[in-house]
Amino acid sequence: MTDQHPTPSAGADAGHLIVFDTTLRDGEQSPGISLDAAEKLEIAEQLARVGVDYIEAGFPVASQGDFEAVQAIARSVGNQPDAPAICGLSRTHLSDVDRCWEALRDAARGRIHVFISTSPQHMQHMLKMDEAQVLAEVRSGVARAREHTDDVEFSPQDATRTPLDFMLEVLAASVEAGATTLNIPDTVGYGIPWDFGALIQHVRRQIPGDYILSTHCHNDLGLATANTLAGVQAGARQVEVCVNGLGERAGNAALEEVVMAVRIRSDQFPGVTTTVRTEELARASRLVSRLTGYPIQYNKAVVGRNAFAHESGIHQHGVLADRSTYEIIDASAVGQVGRQIVLGKHSGRHAFADTLEKMGVSIHGDALNQAFSRFKELADRKVEITEDDLEAIVAEEVGQHLVEGYALHSLEVAGGTVGVPRATVVVVRGGDKFEATSEGNGMIDATCAAIRQATGVDATLIGLTVSSVTSGIDALGDVVVQLEGGGIKVSGRGVSTDVVEASARAYVAAVSRLVRIQARHEERQVEVGP
Ligand code: KIV
Ligand code: ZN
């Protein structure tokens, strides 16, 4: 077969692979994640440091909160030097498109991403529209977006279960109406690499025009990264990805995996490059994990804590002799390096702020004061404080400060092998203090029960995991708790040298998140669908 339409370019460099990060939109649709505007801003700033080309910042029509978050990112991150372009998601309704642009208009570069479902399953059961109606929606929605900006992306949702002829008709209509990027969503993760690659190639050959082809792969069969790479090999020049592979259900293709695969196996993607600063990937991964409460699986490719750990003697021997024996990625190339000791008990406020600045963490005012007193408390208990420790406490403090919710004020526990464990907690919310004492079958159980009582938030603890931020007897304990309340699952994280205190912090963070999601569910007017 001959190429009727060589790699579409929409005026771009044909080898440049556009990295479109959707952590703040599709990633935020992961069960139990609810980021507020300030947390989203933190993540967007890190994504800008990573060097992604686009940040899909949210779905402005979904709620006032989503709108404000997209607007805040467009106004700040979207105007920094070399800023990524900021994108908002929109249904085809004209009022949605207008609202989306309203949120984006202050960014130096703004993109509207218009989508509508095209599979029979979605059209019959969700949209209740026939093909002619969907086509009309595509034309009007994309044309309206094009009145606002010349950067318009179109997605036929559930493309991989859409009859091919209809999908091509819809895509052609969107190009005619002004779409400059055609995204092919594997919404339910149904694709298989060679099949998905062939689909991308087919679209490229059949749809004339000056546009960029894009992949958006979900991970229901664990194939999101493989399908994305097959798409790139077939000519896609935009990849839609999320940090840590977050996203609806099993998630989306992981930013760090796709970027590193293209880089490490450049022989398979001749001439294809990204502008990602890979040394920032690990930090992005940790930040997203902390602010979402979603832990990073130990053996997660590229950013997992075991990604560069060698257990067997033969492997250790090999790596000591020469790293290339068992490692294809240099840990420092993705920011996964043994981090240095940075501060100690005698370090003052100035050194603290200075170190954070060097780490690229921007924190000011009350949040800085709060983080500094957490640092001082920690320095009394731990001799050497590393960048990892600092990152953990600062993320927790920033998160707590930004999120209107409960904060742990004090905790007193008694337990051991004799007597019934008992805990007294004081939590604060909006200046008010709430105190409760409870017993339990262990100190952590008693603490959680006391928090439940103090906050009045009835939730079931469905999971609690403890790990350490760094090694050593005085390492910071890192606790993740998962709660379920009113059919909603959430997680929260807390750190401390004391695991009972870390558990209390994690529990309080999860309760705050639950309260926020419940409020947001009431506020949300629109759901995106799968
Ligand atoms: O998975 C999907 O289809 C989506 C679209 C909105 C692009 O996230
Ligand atoms: Zn998606």
Side-chain angles (χ1 to χ4, degrees):
M1 254 199 268
T2 57
D3 258 0
Q4 286 172 11
H5 303 288
T7 305
S9 65
D13 158 13
H16 176 59
L17 182 62
I18 296 170
V19 177
F20 178 105
D21 184 277
T22 181
T23 308
L24 298 177
R25 200 277 299 167
D26 210 318
E28 216 238 354
Q29 289 171 221
S30 309
I33 294 185
S34 168
L35 298 165
D36 72 6
E39 289 173 311
K40 284 188 165 192
L41 207 54
E42 276 287 303
I43 294 175
E45 273 167 11
Q46 179 59 19
L47 290 172
R49 281 192 280 271
V50 167
V52 302
D53 301 278
Y54 281 85
I55 294 176
E56 188 167 42
F59 186 24
V61 80
S63 71
Q64 182 61 21
D66 286 46
F67 177 89
E68 282 166 12
V70 176
Q71 190 174 56
I73 293 169
R75 288 181 172 167
S76 59
V77 179
N79 281 292
Q80 289 170 2
D82 297 324
I86 310 299
C87 178
L89 182 68
S90 172
R91 294 179 301 185
T92 49
H93 307 337
L94 303 188
S95 55
D96 284 28
V97 176
D98 293 346
R99 182 88 176 135
C100 185
W101 183 245
E102 190 59 34
L104 294 169
R105 63 183 319 146
D106 295 334
R109 291 182 301 133
R111 168 185 286 186
I112 302 178
H113 176 186
V114 179
F115 80 101
I116 190 166
S117 290
T118 51
S119 67
Q121 292 89 335
H122 285 208
M123 282 164 56
Q124 273 164 30
H125 303 300
M126 285 164 44
L127 296 181
K128 308 209 187 309
M129 282 185 193
D130 61 21
E131 293 190 350
Q133 288 170 310
V134 167
L135 271 168
E137 282 289 316
V138 172
R139 290 197 181 95
S140 62
V142 171
R144 180 62 151 244
R146 202 48 212 259
E147 285 171 24
H148 294 303
T149 168
D150 56 11
D151 190 352
V152 176
E153 171 171 332
F154 171 71
S155 288
Q157 185 166 231
D158 205 9
T160 45
R161 292 192 301 168
T162 298
L164 196 53
D165 287 350
F166 181 54
M167 190 184 76
L168 293 176
E169 204 179 341
V170 165
L171 291 174
S174 76
V175 173
E176 251 171 57
T180 47
T181 294
L182 298 185
N183 182 41
I184 310 298
D186 184 19
T187 304
V188 291
Y190 183 67
I192 298 288
W194 44 95
D195 188 33
F196 188 73
L199 180 66
I200 294 290
Q201 198 173 56
H202 192 71
V203 172
R204 239 181 89 196
R205 288 181 172 152
Q206 298 301 319
I207 308 289
D210 192 17
Y211 58 86
I212 299 265
L213 256 180
S214 166
T215 64
H216 178 106
C217 298
H218 279 269
N219 206 28
D220 298 64
L221 294 174
L223 293 171
T225 297
N227 287 337
T228 301
L229 295 174
V232 175
Q233 205 184 32
R237 285 297 173 268
Q238 173 175 291
V239 286
E240 300 203 349
V241 289
C242 288
V243 174
N244 297 339
L246 291 182
E248 282 276 5
R249 306 179 311 280
N252 288 70
L255 163 75
E256 58 280 1
E257 293 175 11
V258 172
V259 165
M260 291 314 290
V262 169
R263 181 156 306 188
I264 297 290
R265 292 307 308 270
S266 54
D267 57 315
Q268 294 296 311
F269 305 96
V272 177
T273 52
T274 73
T275 46
V276 165
R277 288 179 276 276
T278 58
E279 327 76 71
E280 291 290 338
L281 287 172
R283 180 177 297 169
S285 162
R286 289 192 298 267
L287 180 71
V288 167
S289 170
R290 293 204 172 278
L291 293 184
T292 57
Y294 260 52
I296 307 162
Q297 134 200 1
Y298 284 177
N299 59 342
K300 167 81 185 62
V302 184
V303 292
R305 66 157 60 176
N306 289 355
F308 299 94
H310 300 277
E311 187 65 27
S312 89
I314 294 177
H315 285 218
Q316 285 172 351
H317 179 204
V319 168
L320 284 175
D322 192 292
R323 189 186 63 75
S324 69
T325 49
Y326 285 103
E327 280 181 7
I328 57 165
I329 303 174
D330 182 346
S332 62
V334 291
Q336 283 258 54
V337 273
R339 321 252 253 128
Q340 292 143 16
I341 296 157
V342 283
L343 295 171
K345 188 177 171 140
H346 302 294
S347 311
R349 197 189 152 79
H350 188 72
F352 176 74
D354 202 47
T355 308
L356 291 182
E357 206 179 310
K358 285 197 192 111
M359 287 165 59
V361 176
S362 55
I363 167 173
H364 312 279
D366 286 351
L368 178 63
N369 295 340
Q370 202 58 37
F372 183 62
S373 46
R374 269 305 283 292
F375 158 72
K376 280 306 218 187
E377 273 168 44
L378 180 63
D380 278 340
R381 303 184 193 175
K382 191 173 190 296
V383 184
E384 294 161 343
I385 296 177
T386 66
E387 264 188 52
D388 286 334
D389 294 328
L390 277 188
E391 228 177 61
I393 57 170
V394 168
E396 192 186 304
E397 284 308 321
V398 170
Q400 205 164 73
H401 209 78
L402 301 174
V403 176
E404 262 198 40
Y406 293 97
L408 182 69
H409 181 266
S410 63
L411 167 71
E412 224 183 303
V413 278
T417 52
V418 184
V420 181
R422 165 187 286 262
T424 299
V425 296
V426 180
V427 293
V428 284
R429 189 183 189 194
D432 295 324
K433 282 189 182 168
F434 306 89
E435 179 174 340
T437 298
S438 205
E439 293 182 343
N441 55 24
M443 287 188 283
I444 293 180
D445 187 45
T447 302
C448 296
I451 297 171
R452 248 190 325 271
Q453 219 173 297
T455 58
V457 176
D458 192 21
T460 312
L461 181 67
I462 51 174
L464 187 145
T465 47
V466 183
S467 58
S468 63
V469 175
T470 47
S471 52
I473 191 96
D474 60 355
L476 269 187
D478 185 350
V479 174
V480 176
V481 303
Q482 286 174 308
L483 299 184
E484 180 163 15
I488 298 171
K489 287 188 187 149
V490 290
S491 36
R493 273 182 102 147
V495 290
S496 168
T497 46
D498 177 331
V499 288
V500 181
E501 183 189 328
S503 305
R505 289 183 179 280
Y507 197 97
V508 168
V511 165
S512 297
R513 201 174 291 277
L514 183 63
V515 170
R516 192 151 44 104
I517 294 183
Q518 280 166 341
R520 203 161 146 198
H521 268 211
E522 282 157 25
E523 184 207 357
R524 272 213 162 195
Q525 302 127 18
V526 174
E527 293 301 333
V528 185

